[in-house]
Amino acid sequence: MVVGTGASGSMAADGVEERKQMSALIVDDNSVIQKIHKVIMTKLGFETQVVDNGKMAVDLHTSGCSFDVILMDMEMPVMNGIEATKELRAMGVETMIVGVTACSLESEKQAFKEAGLNECFVKPLNMEEAKSLVKKLNKEDN
Amino acid sequence: MRDIRPSGRRDNTRGERKYGLFQVISPSRSAKTGLPLWLLGLGVDRLRTDMSRLLALLFHQGVLDEQFLQLQQLQDGSCPNFVSEVINIYFHESEKLLRNLRGLLSDREFSDYKKMGIHLNQFMGSSSSIGAKRVRNVCVAFRAASEQNNRAGCLRALELLEHEYCYLKNKLHEFFQIEQQRVLAAGVRYPIQN
């Protein structure tokens, strides 16, 4: 369980502000994608957690967890990415939610974005796209 | 470089002298093969060439696309077996999906095309993720047939999908076998000295 926002810092003994490790929640029912996204985010310094569907992502937040970024698949069993994103936003979750979808239809991607995404990419995420997310997170933090 | 003598002992059924791993008999010869190290270097280079040729063939045939290269770029010291781990997960998941698809279509009364679509989306997603271009393309055609509730078309697509998947799996196995040989050969090439 990851608690607390990763972006906040604390003062070390020598007065230098320490930056907490950032955290990423990977929401996808595909084991191959889970593995790839986990490795990419870990390489960028994120602590990662992986869940198989949107409901598990919502339940994590209901129990008090928070993350710096959520990678959200669109098509999942139990609760899909669109429903999960809507629920999270309705709960007041302001975390960056990045949609990753195999679907190339603009209309479906648009529906996903309108659910409350900050960004949407075709899966799998590549390193350059992930780095651009880190830049955006650092900008927001500053 | 010191001349390290073997401390071999005859302890296998063939009576061969068994050396501790990576003990060097002479500065320029491998204890394991007796070959000069420069020749072993050629073996590593040859294996590397074989791997490149196989990959080039698979790209030329459209079996793989640049996504496979993206996976290779993610592999490094922190995750040295990343590509083979991802591919093994892909094989495991794909075979499960193929069994599910075969199971659905073997039922003459089958009508749950929505379930078939879910399996195909999974297959498409993971195939795209590893760069399995031809498998992915067959999944697209398969999905089109399932969206038209075309059972005969789905059966034909399934046969083609199984064929493409088998070909991909065999070629990737070949690729990883060569890589394994290359790693072993590179290890012999650079022996650790006690």
Side-chain angles (χ1 to χ4, degrees):
Chain A
M1 180 181 285
V2 178
V3 179
T5 59
S8 61
S10 59
M11 298 300 285
D14 58 1
V16 174
E17 189 176 339
E18 286 181 339
R19 193 169 276 283
K20 263 191 193 172
Q21 187 177 24
M22 290 209 279
S23 57
L25 177 64
I26 295 161
V27 189
D28 206 307
D29 62 332
N30 186 307
S31 310
V32 173
I33 300 288
Q34 285 177 358
K35 174 84 175 175
I36 294 172
H37 286 173
K38 187 176 164 73
V39 163
I40 289 176
M41 299 311 284
T42 303
K43 280 181 183 295
L44 291 174
F46 286 79
E47 190 178 337
T48 60
Q49 192 162 345
V50 179
V51 293
D52 292 335
N53 61 62
K55 185 174 184 306
M56 292 171 81
V58 169
D59 289 346
L60 271 178
H61 285 82
T62 307
S63 65
C65 294
S66 66
F67 303 87
D68 294 285
V69 66
I70 301 171
L71 299 185
M72 182 77 77
D73 181 24
M74 193 167 89
E75 293 182 5
M76 290 178 287
V78 186
M79 185 186 284
N80 66 31
I82 294 176
E83 291 162 14
T85 303
K86 283 180 181 169
E87 280 243 10
L88 289 170
R89 293 304 189 211
M91 285 165 62
V93 171
E94 295 179 349
T95 303
M96 178 187 278
I97 303 179
V98 178
V100 277
T101 173
C103 181
S104 52
L105 284 173
E106 274 309 311
S107 55
E108 293 198 18
K109 275 165 78 173
Q110 189 56 32
F112 200 5
K113 285 178 191 170
E114 284 169 6
L117 296 180
N118 296 88
E119 292 269 2
C120 191
F121 294 107
V122 173
K123 60 161 124 174
L125 209 64
N126 62 40
M127 189 53 96
E128 290 311 309
E129 287 163 343
K131 282 179 182 171
S132 74
L133 297 179
V134 176
K135 268 191 194 155
K136 282 199 173 116
L137 278 170
N138 288 335
K139 237 189 234 178
E140 282 169 19
D141 192 32
N142 291 334
Chain B
M1 195 184 289
R2 309 192 276 139
D3 182 8
I4 301 165
R5 293 290 170 186
S7 57
R9 52 194 167 87
R10 297 181 196 279
D11 65 354
N12 63 26
T13 55
R14 285 180 293 176
E16 291 167 328
R17 189 172 292 276
K18 190 175 179 183
Y19 301 106
L21 268 180
F22 305 131
Q23 284 183 343
V24 180
I25 298 173
S26 77
S28 58
R29 287 187 176 270
S30 157
K32 280 187 166 294
T33 66
L35 286 173
L37 289 178
W38 67 269
L39 259 186
L40 290 172
L42 284 183
V44 172
D45 290 338
R46 169 68 184 271
L47 288 167
R48 200 176 283 128
T49 304
D50 288 347
M51 282 174 71
S52 299
R53 276 201 188 129
L54 178 55
L55 263 190
L57 173 69
L58 294 175
F59 273 83
H60 178 72
Q61 291 176 332
V63 174
L64 291 178
D65 64 24
E66 61 276 1
Q67 179 58 32
F68 189 79
L69 298 177
Q70 296 266 353
L71 288 188
Q72 287 186 309
Q73 283 166 14
L74 288 173
Q75 181 161 296
D76 61 18
S78 65
C79 45
N81 302 312
F82 172 67
V83 179
S84 61
E85 284 170 8
V86 170
I87 298 296
N88 280 331
I89 294 172
Y90 173 73
F91 287 156
H92 182 255
E93 292 300 309
S94 299
E95 280 154 34
K96 208 164 58 177
L97 289 168
L98 283 169
R99 278 195 300 274
N100 291 344
L101 289 166
R102 182 56 76 181
L104 286 174
L105 283 169
S106 65
D107 178 3
R108 283 176 190 267
E109 306 300 320
F110 162 73
S111 62
D112 197 350
Y113 287 96
K114 189 179 173 190
K115 198 171 189 176
M116 184 175 287
I118 292 170
H119 292 323
L120 287 170
N121 281 342
Q122 280 276 353
F123 212 151
M124 275 171 57
S126 38
S127 299
S128 294
S129 305
I130 68 144
K133 187 173 162 190
R134 268 189 359 204
V135 169
R136 185 197 176 274
N137 289 344
V138 175
C139 287
V140 171
F142 195 154
R143 194 172 65 173
S146 81
E147 283 167 357
Q148 291 162 13
N149 293 2
N150 178 354
R151 186 166 178 268
C154 288
L155 276 166
R156 280 194 296 273
L158 177 59
E159 300 234 346
L160 185 55
L161 184 58
E162 285 167 340
H163 170 81
E164 287 295 341
Y165 171 76
C166 271
Y167 184 75
L168 171 72
K169 186 174 179 181
N170 286 341
K171 288 300 172 191
L172 287 177
H173 268 149
E174 195 181 322
F175 178 80
F176 287 121
Q177 270 171 357
I178 301 172
E179 188 183 42
Q180 209 170 26
Q181 286 166 19
R182 182 188 65 79
V183 167
L184 285 171
V188 171
R189 184 185 181 187
Y190 298 109
I192 300 161
Q193 295 195 20
N194 294 326

